[in-house]
């Protein structure tokens, strides 16, 4: 079986790794070092991550689900819960990992676009102090969101200030934090200013597979290494994970990768914006394009292209997610956009 040659628009996880990440892993292979993080490279990368985020601690883990579970573990007691959007990855796409492993309930809120607001968070605070109700203690937001949009710095401030006023901890699922910082034109410290704990995703940004759990709230730091160990995320040969971050932090490769991905999403959205029968479901801000299009067109397009069918709207229309990556090129986008246009011409359009 060979890997698919045509670029996938299914997920930013479908890409391989950036060559500089692979080079850094090969370089890290030389010689013996102490395991479990007591090696010079892991110590340096951890310091760099702490500096970049103004954080008390940084802990490399193997994946985004693991980072979310670890993050919630350091914030919650068993009787406490985390408020999140219904569509949040932690709620919808992690097989209940948080509930099983952390043992805490997620308090999900329906949203129009995957974004929480102070008002939406407040709807889940009513059980506070009631013995038989889960006690809300944390709020989880995803930046960039699962819908490819980004909380603005103002929206983050509003949520952050609300959380502080309500004695709630704020967790950011930052599997695509790089894309949001690139979109907002801000630093990692700025985009995470109000978070107590967050994940900083590398896997979707060109790594082989690693993420960092960033602990900004120093009160939560002491327990984090023990949680990571118990949660099977303290890799013995962690230097190879540090090497991946080393490559991404060098000359801000994380930022150029994120900018490339965002630019390709914008290019795709621009290229298809006038295709008959197609409309964008959400603003295109990070690295995905959500489009509503005729079901028959989506089915035809799917015969040759890999992308995600997000939701069916009705018999005639369907929402699809086209996701691009750090290594998606202009010609990949142009070829896909031409196929979208061609399939639109080949199907009957729903009556408007
Ligand atoms: C927003 C978000 N959070 C977390 C994850 C989980 O990452 P992983 O698949 O590495 O566990 C993903 C993966 O797609 C994601 O999109």
């Amino acid at each position: 079986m060979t890997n698919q040659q045509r670029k996938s628009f299914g997920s930013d996880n479908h890409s391989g790794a950036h060559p500089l990440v692979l080079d850094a892993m090969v370089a890290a292979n030389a010689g013996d070092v102490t395991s479990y993080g007591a090696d010079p490279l892991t110590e340096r990368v951890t310091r760099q991550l702490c500096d970049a985020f103004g954080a008390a601690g940084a802990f490399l883990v193997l994946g985004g689900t693991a980072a979310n579970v670890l993050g919630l573990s350091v914030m919650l007691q068993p009787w406490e819960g985390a408020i999140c959007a219904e569509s949040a990855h932690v709620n919808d796409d992690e097989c209940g990992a948080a509930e099983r492993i952390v043992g805490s309930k997620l308090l999900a809120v329906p949203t129009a676009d995957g974004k929480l607001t102070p008002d939406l968070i407040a709807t889940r605070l009513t059980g506070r102090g009631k013995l038989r109700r889960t006690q809300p203690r944390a709020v989880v937001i995803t930046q960039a969101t699962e819908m490819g949009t980004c909380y603005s710095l103002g929206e983050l401030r509003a949520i952050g200030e609300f959380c502080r006023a309500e004695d709630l901890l704020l967790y950011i699922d930052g599997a695509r934090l790089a894309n949001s910082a690139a979109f907002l034109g801000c630093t990692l410290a700025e985009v995470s200013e109000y978070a107590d704990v967050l994940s900083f995703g590398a896997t979707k940004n060109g790594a082989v597979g690693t993420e960092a759990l960033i602990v900004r709230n120093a009160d939560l730091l002491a327990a984090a290494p023990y949680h990571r160990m118990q949660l099977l995320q303290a890799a013995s040969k962690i230097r190879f994970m540090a090497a991946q971050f080393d490559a991404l932090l060098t000359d801000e490769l994380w930022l150029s990768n994120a900018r490339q991905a965002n630019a390709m999403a914008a290019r795709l959205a621009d290229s298809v914006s006038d295709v008959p029968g197609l409309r964008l479901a959400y603003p295109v801000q990070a690295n995905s394009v959500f489009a509503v299009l005729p079901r028959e067109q989506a089915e035809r397009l799917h015969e040759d292209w890999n992308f995600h069918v997000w939701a069916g709207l009705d018999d005639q229309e369907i929402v699809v997610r086209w996701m691009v990556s750090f290594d998606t090129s202009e010609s990949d986008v142009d070829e896909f956009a031409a196929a979208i246009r061609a399939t639109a011409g080949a199907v009957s359009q729903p009556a408007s």
Side-chain angles (χ1 to χ4, degrees), residues 256-288:
S256 41
N257 283 351
R259 281 185 179 145
Q260 171 67 15
N262 290 3
M264 291 307 100
R267 184 181 181 93
L268 179 58
D270 284 351
S271 310
V272 299
S273 62
D274 63 343
V275 168
L278 184 153
R279 63 184 187 278
L280 297 179
Y282 305 105
V284 175
Q285 298 180 334
N287 62 325
S288 51

Side-chain angles (χ1 to χ4, degrees), residues 204-279:
K204 300 171 199 309
N205 185 246
V208 171
T210 186
E211 319 272 301
L213 188 84
I214 308 292
V215 181
R216 295 189 70 258
N217 181 336
D219 295 342
L220 302 173
L221 184 62
Y226 304 105
H227 280 287
R228 182 176 61 165
M229 192 75 219
Q230 282 198 330
L231 292 173
L232 321 177
Q233 293 302 308
S236 55
K237 294 191 181 179
I238 198 168
R239 64 169 137 158
F240 293 105
M241 291 149 73
Q244 297 173 58
F245 268 106
D246 190 29
L248 292 173
L249 293 172
T250 301
D251 298 330
E252 296 191 317
L253 179 61
W254 66 269
L255 184 56
S256 41
N257 283 351
R259 281 185 179 145
Q260 171 67 15
N262 290 3
M264 291 307 100
R267 184 181 181 93
L268 179 58
D270 284 351
S271 310
V272 299
S273 62
D274 63 343
V275 168
L278 184 153
R279 63 184 187 278

Side-chain angles (χ1 to χ4, degrees), residues 13 63-66 68 89 94 142 144 146 173 175-176 203-204 211:
N13 279 335
T65 304
N68 289 343
H89 200 275
E94 298 182 2
T142 312
E146 290 76 4
D173 174 346
R176 297 186 185 86
T203 310
K204 300 171 199 309
E211 319 272 301

Side-chain angles (χ1 to χ4, degrees), residues 91 155 161 198 218 246 273 322 345:
N91 183 55
E155 289 170 327
E161 287 175 353
L198 70 147
D246 190 29
S273 62
W322 298 323

Side-chain angles (χ1 to χ4, degrees), residues 279 292-296 311-319 350-351:
R279 63 184 187 278
V292 180
L293 70 168
R295 194 175 278 273
E296 189 189 344
L313 282 187
D314 54 35
D315 286 351
Q316 296 199 313
E317 286 189 316
I318 192 164
V319 184

Side-chain angles (χ1 to χ4, degrees), residues 173-219:
D173 174 346
R176 297 186 185 86
L177 196 78
N179 302 86
S180 72
F183 171 72
L184 296 171
C186 69
T187 64
L188 294 171
E190 285 164 342
V191 74
S192 61
E193 183 182 349
Y194 293 93
D196 292 281
V197 182
L198 70 147
S199 62
F200 178 38
T203 310
K204 300 171 199 309
N205 185 246
V208 171
T210 186
E211 319 272 301
L213 188 84
I214 308 292
V215 181
R216 295 189 70 258
N217 181 336
D219 295 342

